Structures are given as C-alpha cells and as structure tokens.
C-alpha cells in the first residue's frame, strides 16, 4: 500500500464506481483504521457485494443536522468529498447489522451519486495531493514548523498522548505525518471535513498548523483564567483572615468605628433630611455597620453616606432684594454694559416680588472675555447668594450630569449635586459656563440631562444616580454663558433668555482698564501701596498693539504682566519704574500690529470682507486671480457650501454684466478664476461674503485694483441686490480695530445701527442697496 500515495497507480486500482458508507460523527482520513457499525440494509448489501470484488468503499461524512436532532440522513446530507477505504474485515452481528473494520486509502471527489431502491453508489475521482504545485522544499519547512508546534503542545500534555511523539518521529512521509496528526486531533465533523477537502499537501499542512495553533492559544487562555481564579480565591481568603484579625485588634483598642457610626447617626437625626433621604441614609448606615470596615464595599458605602449627609439639606441663604444695592454692585464690578445691567435689574426685581416665580434662565452670549462669567458672579453677589461655576466645556458623558452609578469606588455624583454641596446652600447661583460646548457621545446625551435640570417642572425632584434619592434643585438660580448660540440645541435654547453681549470698542476697553483692570491687577500682585500707574496712551498702546480681541481678557493679562515686571524691577533695583510707550517693548516684547498694514494696500482681486465668528468680528480678505484655463471656477480655503454658492452667484453676475464692465468674453472661456480665502482658522460659511466675493471677481476680471480703505459685508442676490446680514456690530468693530475707515453695509441693516453712535465715531458707514454701488466705491480706475 506504500505506493498508493504516489497517486499514479491509484486510478487503476480504484474502481470508478464504489458503494457509499455514510459516516455520521466521524470523518475518516487516509491511513486511519476505523471500526464502523452498519445497520442499513441497502448499505450492507453494497458492502457484501464489494467483499467479493475489490473490497473498496467510499466513506462520506454527513453534515451535522442543524437542529441537532438525529433522524435518518439523506443523500443530500452527505459531503461531496470523502475517503476511499479498504474493507479489512466484516463481521455479521446476531441482530442483523454488520461491523466492519476499514482503513482509509485516498481522498476522492464524488462526481455523481447513483442511488436506487437496491443500492447506494458513487462515481468518484481520487484526489492527488501532490500535484504541480508540489514543492519539496516548502513541504520540508512546513513539516518542520508543524513538528515544532506539535512538540510544544505535547510538552504541555494536552491533545496528544505520551507515545504520540515517539511514533511520529518514525514517520517520514509528509502525507502520512499529516494523516497521523489528524487522526489524533479532536476535530468536529465540520473541522475535519474542511481539512479533508484541502486539495494540496501544502494547504493541508497549513490547515493543520492553523488549527493546532488556535487550540494552543485557546488552552493557554483557559489555563490563565484558571490560575487567576485560583489566585483570587487565595487572595480573598487571605484578606478575609487579615480583616478578621484587624477587627479583633480594633475591638481590643477601643471602637474607632463606633465613633464614625455615631457621627453618621447624629447627622441623620439632626439634619433636615427629607423622608426619602433619611430612610436611605439609615439603610446605608446599617449596611456599613455590617460590612468589614476595610473592604471595598465599606469605602463605597462610606463615601456615599458622606455625600448624602454632606448636602446642605434645608440650608437657605436669605436673598438681598434691594435693587439699589444691586445696581451699585453691578456698577462697581463692570464698566458700561448699561443695557445688560438694566436687564439684570429687571430680572432681580421680578425675583424680589415673587421668589419662586417662573423666571427664565439667563444666558449671557457673546465673544470671549467680555464679562459673561463675571456678570454671573455679580448676580450672585447682588442677591447675596453662594455661587458655584460649572464648566461644561467638553462634557460628553451623561453621567457627568446625572451622576455615576454607585457601583465602583471612584463614582461621584453629577456636577449639579457637586455644585450644590460645594456651595453650601440649597439656593446658590450656579453658573453653567460654556453651555454651548457641551457635547454628545456614545455615553448618552448630556444636554438631554441638562434640560431636565433646568426644567422647573422637573428639577424640584432631580434624581442623581449616585445620590440615589431625589433632590430639590428648583431653588438654585441658573445662569448660563455661551460663545456660540448656534451650537446649542433648540429645546435647551428655548428654555433660556438670551442676553447678547458684544465686543468692546477701544474706548470702552480703555475705560474698563482704567476703572477696573489696573486696580484689580495691582491688588492681585500686592502693589496697592506702590505708585504703579499706566497713562492713557500706554493703555491705548496695549489695547491696539499688544492685544487683538473682542473682550478684555488679554488686556487684563498684559496689565498683570506689567504689574509683575514692576514688582521685579522694584525688588531688583529698590526703585519704582514708569511704563511709557517708549519702554513698553522692553517689557512686553515687540508690538504685534503688522497685520493691519496688509489690509491697506490696493491690489487687484483682493477685497476686505467682514466676518462674524463666535469669538468676535474678523477682517477676512478674499483673493481672486485669473489663470489660463478653460472657464472653471476654482475655490480654495475651506469654504462652506453657502460660500461656494455665493461665489457662483458672483461669477454669474460678472458674466451678465460683462459688457458694462468692459470684460472680454475670452476671460470666461480661456481662463480659470481662482478664489481663495486665507486665514485657515476662521470658519468660512454663510452668505454675508457675497459682495466681497463679487468685488474680488470683478477686480480680477477688469484688472482694476480694489480700494483697500474699504471693508464690506452683504449678501448678494443674483440680480445684484444687496441683502441684509447678521452680526453687524461685531463686524463694524472689527473694521474699526483694523483701522479700516470706510465700511459698506446693506441698507436693509440700517435699523441695526441705531444706538451704535459711539461705535460709528470716526467711521464712514456707507449704506448700499445695489451691487453696482459697491463696485463704484471700491473698484479703482485703471
Ligand atoms: N465691562 C467690564 N468691566 C470690568 N471688567 C470687565 C468687563 N468686561 C469684562 N471684564 C473683565 O474681563 C475678564 C474676563 O471676563 P469674563 O471671564 O467674564 O469673560 P467671559 O465673557 O466669560 O469670557 P469667556 O467666553 O472666555 O468665558 C474678567 O476679569 C472680567 O472681570
Ligand atoms: Mg467665561
């Protein structure tokens, strides 16, 4: 039989038509010797015929029935690749069945199944494992790898028995090695069949290797888990004994724990706890008393009790309802902001009349550093209430609001419960800072939880997961702040009364600095007794050349920096110094006003636009240039969809008015127009760049430069009408700060200018209705 594997002789020796023996839970591989019990008459008949002839049969495994129920198997359940086997012995059993001992010879593919009432046969073609792809070197390497792996597995005592390797080491032939290993593996029918169906020796060896590798990894993991559980059992037993010992020692030493328990007990009876909280606290305390004091669980229980009993139950501060005092206080803290202060005083008056009236939540919105957070604090001061600030920037997790579940040691209540505890009263002012920066993630939607907190219908019994009892948040006064209202979800926004703050003009900044920032900075740096002072023109220098912002945060920082420079100078030289425009660069470095100049050069295709951003207004230059091409419009600079449409509208306007502007038609066919908006950090979308884009486009096409003394904002309709825009105050402020004297504004925005007289001082505001007017102003003659 040794020569069979060479494959050449097989075809002659194996008849093309063989009786089938289905095997139910075993796949027989070549070289395997297996006893089979056969009861089916039809099959026994086939066998008996064959006994007298070539003694060969085909073994075909049956699919495992999918519902795991054994029933009669049918022809369709049989796999189409099986093993031709030799009948070694047949033994008739007394009750009619037969027992056969067979040996696998070679794999074979079923070409056709021939079945009638009498018999079950198949026409087969043997499969030769060593075909053209056979590579002796490759097989050698594979065998070597396989043997190494087998050795490893055998060493760990799994899968293979003790004699296995001894026998294996005596086999040379790769196919026999494979079959020998296979016959010792614990394969399911599917796995075995998969390996049986491998067409080449290379694939077969790979398949075996992968399977063994997988098995080994599996058993490693199992072993690891087993040893870990063993360890942890040992450890917890040890801990238990130690804990018992500690308990005994503590008993000897006097009762530390008793003190703690008494303290909790005292609090439970003394505090003005609502019934629910009292019951919960009592329950938790009982559990704590029963728990071993050093266990994890005791820590969790203790922390929870500390939170529960640490809340300012029943503690209320009395409101100061004097509007006069409030007015004084607001004026003392903040310069200007008259309109805003009025709104705050109205708000406080309503509350003074009816403390639990359903006043909306105030939300201060505006650019950075204009005093939103500090106004919130002032409201707390006016009312004489405690104050706590919650920063919501980057809160993505719902449990930051609703609290973590109490199951682990580091769990904490949500931010609002924390705020109330830290503020020390049930009715603090809670500043919800940066409410627009709250995020959403897969860990729930914190803004939905926030809505619940802010809803007067629900917040009198807010349930925090950690605290585990309902808590009354309705006496808190919430004040929110935001930079960008557009990112706040609708329902949340509806719940708030928005108070819009704008940036400050240079004059306002000067007054704020003189009246507030300088004194505050001196206090902070301990310079009250010194003659630190900044002259107006020094402050102006700081404002225009060292800061570039809508608010005064940077300015405040620069002033503080000067205070520390002053202090250092004094400590080093024992005399005081005076800051002047001349020596400022010595202390603060060179002035940073270079960008202003770039707005001032008349260029072809470059227009000063005005943009609104959550951080204030910006001057944004639009550039357009013609390049040889084929009439395409190229847009770069990370523009949004609306901006792209505006560019197209500008292009169409230029085409429609080509003759009036003397534009050569060739420009639309032989050139591409490239429009670019530099300043990568500014979000660029919205329609308000319409007339700016148009100016750049026409400038590029006519070759006439744009007057750089102008800045503009306005949406453009296809027919050349200039439509109104938003954020006018911020935009005008930006133009002013950048030294641009002429500002083109849609006439339909005229109403927005009312009350902005101070802002308009020194500016030439030009109201326009038609695109033509814009171009008349900014397109310079050739
Ligand atoms: N009108 C003002 N008068 C006096 N000080 C002011 C005024 N506006 C702002 N400030 C001061 O400027 C600093 C920054 O203000 P604040 O922190 O309230 O800004 P904000 O609007 O909350 O900014 P952000 O959006 O960056 O949080 C504070 O020290 C504040 O007191
Ligand atoms: Mg703030």
């Amino acid at each position: 039989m040794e020569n069979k594997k060479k494959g050449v002789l097989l075809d002659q020796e194996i008849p093309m038509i063989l009786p089938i023996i289905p095997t139910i839970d075993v796949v027989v591989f070549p070289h395997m010797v297996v006893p089979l019990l056969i009861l089916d008459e039809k099959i026994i008949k086939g066998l008996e015929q064959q006994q007298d002839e070539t003694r060969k049969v085909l073994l075909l495994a049956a699919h495992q029935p999918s519902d795991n129920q054994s029933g009669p198997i049918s022809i369709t359940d049989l796999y189409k690749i099986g093993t031709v086997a030799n009948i070694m012995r047949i033994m008739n059993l007394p009750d009619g069945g037969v027992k056969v001992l067979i040996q696998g010879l070679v794999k074979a593919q079923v070409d056709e199944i021939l079945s009638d009432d009498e018999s079950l046969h198949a026409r087969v073609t043997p499969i030769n494992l060593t075909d053209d792809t056979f590579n002796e070197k490759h097989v050698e390497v594979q065998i070597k790898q396989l043997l190494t792996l087998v050795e490893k597995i055998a060493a760990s005592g799994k899968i293979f028995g003790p004699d296995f390797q001894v026998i294996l080491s005596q086999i040379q032939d790769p196919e026999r090695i494979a079959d020998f290993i296979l016959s010792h593996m614990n394969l399911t029918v599917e796995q075995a069949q998969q390996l049986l169906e491998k067409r080449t020796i290379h694939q077969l060896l790979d398949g075996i290797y992968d399977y063994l590798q997988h098995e080994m990894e599996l058993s490693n993991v199992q072993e690891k888990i087993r040893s870990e559980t063993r360890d942890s059992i040992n450890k917890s037993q040890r801990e238990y004994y130690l804990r018992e010992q500690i308990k005994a020692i503590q008993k000897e030493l006097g009762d530390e724990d008793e003190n703690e328990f008494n303290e909790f007990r005292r609090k439970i009876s003394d505090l003005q706890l609502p019934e629910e909280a009292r019951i919960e606290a009592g329950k938790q305390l009982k559990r704590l008393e029963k728990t071993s004091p050093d266990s994890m669980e005791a820590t969790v229980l203790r922390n929870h009790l500390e939170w529960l009993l640490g809340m300012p139950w029943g503690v209320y501060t009395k409101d100061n309802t004097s509007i006069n005092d409030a007015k004084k206080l607001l004026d003392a803290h903040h310069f200007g902001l008259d309109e805003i202060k009025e709104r705050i005083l109205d708000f406080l008056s309503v509350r003074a009349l009816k403390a639990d009236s359903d006043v909306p939540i105030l939300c201060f919105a505006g650019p950075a550093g204009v005093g939103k957070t500090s106004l919130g604090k002032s409201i707390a001061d006016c009312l004489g209430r405690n104050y706590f600030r919650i920063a919501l920037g980057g809160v993505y997790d719902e449990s930051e609001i609703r609290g973590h579940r109490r199951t682990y040691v580091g769990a904490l209540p949500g931010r609002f419960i924390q705020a109330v505890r830290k503020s020390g009263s049930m009715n603090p002012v809670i500043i919800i800072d940066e409410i627009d920066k709250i995020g959403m993630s897969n860990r729930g939607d914190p803004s939905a939880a926030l809505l619940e907190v802010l809803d007067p219908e629900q917040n009198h019994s807010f349930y925090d997961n950690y605290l585990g009892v309902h808590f009354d948040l309705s006496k808190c006064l919430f004040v929110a702040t935001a930079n960008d209202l557009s990112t706040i979800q609708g329902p949340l926004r509806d719940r708030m009364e928005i108070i819009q703050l704008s940036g400050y003009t240079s004059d306002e900044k000067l007054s704020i600095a003189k009246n507030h920032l300088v004194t505050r900075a001196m206090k902070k740096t301990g310079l009250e007794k010194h003659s630190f002072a900044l002259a107006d023109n020094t402050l102006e220098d700081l404002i225009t050349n060292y800061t570039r912002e809508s608010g005064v945060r940077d300015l405040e920082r620069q002033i503080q920096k000067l205070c520390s420079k002053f202090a250092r100078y004094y400590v080093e030289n024992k005399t005081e110094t005076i800051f002047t425009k001349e020596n400022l660069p010595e202390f603060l470095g060179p002035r940073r006003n270079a960008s202003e100049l770039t707005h001032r050069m008349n260029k072809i295709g470059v227009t000063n636009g005005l943009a609104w951003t959550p951080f204030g207004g910006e001057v944004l230059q639009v550039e357009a240039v013609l390049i040889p091409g084929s009439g395409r419009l190229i847009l770069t600079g990370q523009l949004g969809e609306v901006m792209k449409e505006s560019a197209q509208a500008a292009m169409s306007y230029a085409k429609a008015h080509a003759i009036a502007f003397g534009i050569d038609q060739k420009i639309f066919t032989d050139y591409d127009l490239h429009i670019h908006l530099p300043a990568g950090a500014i979000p660029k979308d919205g329609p308000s760049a319409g007339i700016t884009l148009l100016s750049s486009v026409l400038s590029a096409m006519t070759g006439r430069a744009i007057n750089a003394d102008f800045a503009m904002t306005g949406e453009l309709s296809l027919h050349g009408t200039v439509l109104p825009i938003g954020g006018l105050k911020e935009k005008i402020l930006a133009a002013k700060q950048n030294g641009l004297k002429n500002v083109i504004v849609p006439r339909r925005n005229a109403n927005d200018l009312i009350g902005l007289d101070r802002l308009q001082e020194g500016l030439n505001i030009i109201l326009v209705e038609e695109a033509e007017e814009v171009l008349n102003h900014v397109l310079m003659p050739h």
Side-chain angles (χ1 to χ4, degrees):
M1 224 176 299
E2 268 310 298
N3 52 2
K4 287 216 158 51
K5 68 185 189 298
K6 293 288 171 256
V8 192
L9 296 172
L10 280 178
D11 296 9
Q12 299 158 15
E13 281 183 20
I14 293 172
M16 294 305 279
I17 294 179
L18 291 175
I20 298 176
I21 300 184
T23 60
I24 294 180
D25 43 17
V26 62
V27 175
V28 180
F29 287 91
H31 304 112
M32 249 164 105
V33 177
V34 190
L36 294 172
L37 179 69
I38 296 161
L39 298 172
D40 191 297
E41 278 303 321
K42 206 157 119 182
I43 295 169
I44 296 176
K45 210 159 164 202
L47 261 181
E48 280 165 350
Q49 274 173 14
Q50 208 54 11
Q51 195 178 3
D52 309 328
E53 295 176 24
T54 57
R55 299 178 71 90
K56 303 237 171 351
V57 289
L58 177 68
L59 302 175
L60 285 183
H63 293 275
Q64 218 73 326
S66 52
D67 49 2
N68 259 340
Q69 276 174 1
S70 48
I73 46 169
S74 70
I75 296 172
T76 49
D77 289 332
L78 297 177
Y79 285 107
K80 294 290 172 287
I81 290 182
T83 306
V84 175
N86 211 14
I87 303 173
M88 294 169 78
R89 198 184 313 150
I90 297 191
M91 220 166 84
N92 289 316
L93 297 177
D95 52 1
V98 294
K99 207 170 174 183
V100 288
L101 192 64
I102 49 126
Q103 182 179 31
L105 290 178
V106 64
K107 297 179 191 188
Q109 156 97 43
V110 173
D111 299 324
E112 190 185 359
I113 289 192
L114 313 162
S115 158
D116 55 37
D117 295 343
E118 299 282 289
S119 63
L120 180 60
H121 283 81
R123 189 193 306 282
V124 296
T125 313
I127 296 171
N128 181 7
L129 277 183
T130 43
D131 62 1
D132 326 338
T133 63
F134 182 79
N135 176 333
E136 200 157 346
K137 279 263 156 52
H138 188 173
V139 165
E140 230 169 78
V141 174
Q142 282 181 304
I143 290 285
K144 215 175 225 165
Q145 284 174 338
L146 191 58
L147 291 181
T148 321
L149 183 61
V150 165
E151 206 168 303
K152 246 196 245 167
I153 294 173
S156 69
K158 278 163 243 140
I159 307 182
F160 307 120
D163 299 337
F164 174 79
Q165 264 191 299
V166 180
I167 302 172
L168 185 64
S169 64
Q170 290 161 6
I171 309 175
Q172 301 300 323
D173 177 65
E175 264 179 61
R176 292 209 77 164
I177 292 179
D179 290 337
F180 183 70
I181 297 176
L182 275 172
S183 63
H184 283 78
M185 279 161 42
N186 251 334
L187 300 165
T188 65
V189 172
E190 271 79 27
Q191 287 170 333
Q193 182 68 29
Q194 257 178 27
L195 289 173
L196 184 75
E197 292 188 3
K198 301 282 181 208
R199 290 302 183 129
T200 69
I201 181 75
H202 300 299
Q203 286 172 3
L204 179 64
L205 291 173
D206 275 349
I208 297 174
Y209 186 89
D210 288 348
Y211 173 82
L212 287 179
Q213 179 85 15
H214 178 78
E215 281 300 287
M216 193 174 72
E217 275 162 19
L218 219 67
S219 78
N220 282 348
V221 173
Q222 279 168 346
E223 180 54 34
K224 200 165 156 229
I225 292 172
R226 223 173 289 141
S227 80
E228 268 168 16
T229 22
R230 207 163 39 227
D231 281 358
S232 80
I233 290 170
N234 290 345
K235 206 170 148 213
S236 68
Q237 271 171 347
R238 211 173 89 92
E239 273 176 10
Y240 176 76
Y241 287 126
L242 288 176
R243 241 184 267 125
E244 289 300 303
Q245 280 175 336
I246 290 176
K247 258 191 203 164
I249 294 171
Q250 273 171 343
K251 236 182 199 157
E252 289 298 311
L253 289 177
D255 291 323
E256 276 290 309
D257 291 336
E258 282 308 307
N259 282 339
E260 188 190 23
F261 297 153
N262 284 338
E263 178 72 21
F264 281 138
R265 231 170 268 133
R266 188 188 58 73
K267 276 191 182 159
I268 293 174
S269 70
D270 289 1
L271 288 175
Q272 295 181 40
L273 292 170
E275 202 48 33
E276 184 193 9
R278 187 181 310 282
I279 293 171
E280 173 74 7
K283 218 162 63 188
Q284 297 289 336
L285 179 57
K286 269 212 192 86
R287 281 177 64 187
L288 178 62
E289 284 170 330
K290 275 193 244 152
T291 319
S292 150
D294 295 291
S295 65
M296 267 316 211
E297 198 188 352
T299 315
V300 171
L301 285 168
R302 200 176 292 123
N303 282 345
H304 176 235
L305 266 173
E306 264 159 22
W307 270 104
L308 198 55
L309 301 175
M311 295 305 289
W313 300 104
V315 179
Y316 292 88
T317 56
K318 199 171 156 7
D319 282 357
N320 178 2
T321 51
S322 160
I323 295 301
N324 240 342
D325 289 356
K327 195 165 159 37
K328 272 189 216 143
L329 228 149
L330 283 177
D331 284 337
H333 285 181
H334 288 90
F335 168 86
L337 300 173
D338 296 337
E339 209 180 307
I340 313 271
K341 286 178 187 165
E342 287 299 312
R343 294 270 295 274
I344 295 176
L345 291 176
D346 293 350
F347 174 84
L348 294 176
S349 306
V350 175
R351 288 198 64 90
L353 283 183
K354 192 165 180 299
D356 56 353
S357 58
D358 202 357
V359 279
I361 290 137
L362 289 183
C363 175
F364 295 114
V370 293
K372 300 181 298 293
T373 308
S374 51
L375 275 173
K377 168 122 181 33
S378 295
I379 291 182
D381 292 345
C382 288
L383 285 165
R385 287 196 181 195
N386 296 337
Y387 151 94
F388 196 83
R389 189 176 74 93
I390 298 176
L392 283 188
V395 166
Y396 288 100
D397 193 339
E398 192 174 339
S399 44
E400 293 267 359
I401 311 274
R402 287 193 209 274
H404 295 277
R405 301 205 178 273
R406 222 181 306 142
T407 40
Y408 64 98
V409 179
L412 277 179
R415 300 273 186 112
F416 285 88
I417 294 298
Q418 292 187 30
V420 173
R421 180 177 176 187
K422 285 188 190 133
S423 77
S425 63
M426 296 288 279
N427 62 339
V429 172
I430 295 182
I431 313 275
I432 308 172
D433 221 1
E434 313 201 322
I435 200 168
D436 54 334
K437 308 277 190 317
I438 195 165
M440 213 204 280
S441 73
N442 53 357
R443 273 162 294 167
D445 179 1
S447 48
L450 191 57
L451 262 179
E452 219 176 290
V453 172
L454 300 183
D455 185 355
E457 303 276 309
Q458 301 183 52
N459 64 10
H460 55 84
S461 66
F462 175 71
Y463 186 84
D464 183 281
N465 290 326
Y466 182 85
L467 219 51
V469 297
H470 290 87
F471 192 86
D472 183 5
L473 285 176
S474 65
K475 303 295 182 294
C476 302
L477 183 67
F478 299 106
V479 177
T481 81
N483 286 135
D484 187 358
L485 290 175
S486 67
T487 62
I488 305 179
Q489 291 183 8
L492 197 54
R493 201 167 148 174
D494 286 347
R495 198 138 295 163
M496 303 190 290
E497 179 177 343
I498 309 282
I499 299 182
Q500 191 81 45
L501 282 88
S502 327
Y504 296 116
T505 60
S506 301
D507 289 349
E508 284 170 332
K509 286 184 187 174
L510 180 63
S511 304
I512 295 173
K514 280 206 305 203
N515 296 317
H516 296 271
L517 304 183
V518 173
T519 15
R520 233 182 274 160
M522 284 169 71
K523 234 185 239 166
K524 254 194 189 160
T525 30
L527 293 180
E528 288 127 304
K529 299 209 172 61
H530 293 263
S531 58
F532 174 88
L534 295 172
D536 281 8
N537 66 355
T538 318
L539 282 171
E540 272 163 8
D541 194 17
L542 278 183
I543 291 165
T544 46
N545 297 325
Y546 285 96
T547 62
R548 179 170 285 280
E549 57 174 349
S550 305
V552 292
R553 167 138 334 117
D554 236 11
L555 180 60
E556 187 171 27
R557 226 174 270 145
Q558 295 290 358
I559 294 174
Q560 275 170 16
K561 202 163 162 190
L562 285 181
C563 282
S564 18
K565 296 282 180 201
F566 182 93
R568 167 134 179 237
Y569 192 90
Y570 183 78
V571 172
E572 280 179 359
N573 303 308
K574 300 283 171 277
T575 63
E576 292 176 343
T577 177
I578 295 170
F579 297 107
T580 61
K581 255 188 111 143
E582 283 69 41
N583 68 9
L584 222 42
E586 238 175 83
F587 295 96
L588 296 179
R591 297 183 169 84
R592 294 181 238 151
N593 61 349
S595 68
E596 225 180 80
L597 293 176
T598 61
H599 301 309
R600 293 282 181 74
M601 282 183 2
N602 304 336
K603 287 190 210 151
I604 293 173
V606 181
T607 314
N608 294 321
L610 295 171
W612 180 91
T613 77
F615 313 101
E618 289 278 352
V619 173
L620 191 65
Q621 290 194 319
V622 172
E623 304 173 348
V625 57
L626 282 177
I627 44 178
S630 56
R632 284 179 310 159
L633 180 61
I634 303 165
L635 299 164
T636 53
Q638 298 188 3
L639 313 186
E641 280 311 310
V642 180
M643 197 82 130
K644 288 179 187 163
E645 283 169 17
S646 298
Q648 243 132 29
M651 189 77 172
S652 298
Y653 182 95
K655 278 185 189 161
H657 297 77
I659 299 175
F661 285 95
I663 301 169
D664 190 341
Q665 283 298 332
K666 265 208 189 107
I667 283 185
F668 300 111
T669 50
D670 298 358
Y671 289 88
D672 290 340
L673 182 71
H674 183 171
I675 297 180
H676 180 65
L677 273 82
I682 303 171
K684 282 161 285 196
D685 205 12
S688 74
I691 60 171
T692 320
L693 286 160
L694 178 69
S695 304
S696 281
V697 168
L698 278 172
S699 167
M701 289 184 172
T702 56
R704 288 162 64 183
I706 295 282
N707 187 336
D709 282 338
F710 283 80
M712 62 179 74
T713 175
E715 184 179 346
L716 177 71
S717 85
L718 261 188
H719 290 99
T721 313
V722 181
L723 304 173
I725 46 78
L728 187 64
K729 185 179 171 191
E730 301 296 325
K731 289 176 177 175
I732 294 180
L733 205 52
K736 192 168 185 172
Q737 280 163 357
N738 283 282
L740 293 162
K741 296 273 179 290
N742 303 299
V743 185
I744 298 180
V745 171
R747 182 172 292 282
R748 295 195 196 174
N749 277 108
N751 277 342
D752 298 340
L753 291 169
I754 295 170
L756 299 185
D757 302 335
R758 283 284 299 275
L759 178 62
Q760 293 181 60
E761 268 170 31
L763 288 183
N764 176 25
I765 307 271
I766 304 154
L767 296 172
V768 295
E769 245 163 310
E770 294 296 327
E772 208 182 323
E773 298 169 61
V774 178
L775 298 169
N776 284 342
H777 279 292
V778 297
L779 276 186
M780 311 200 35
H782 274 295

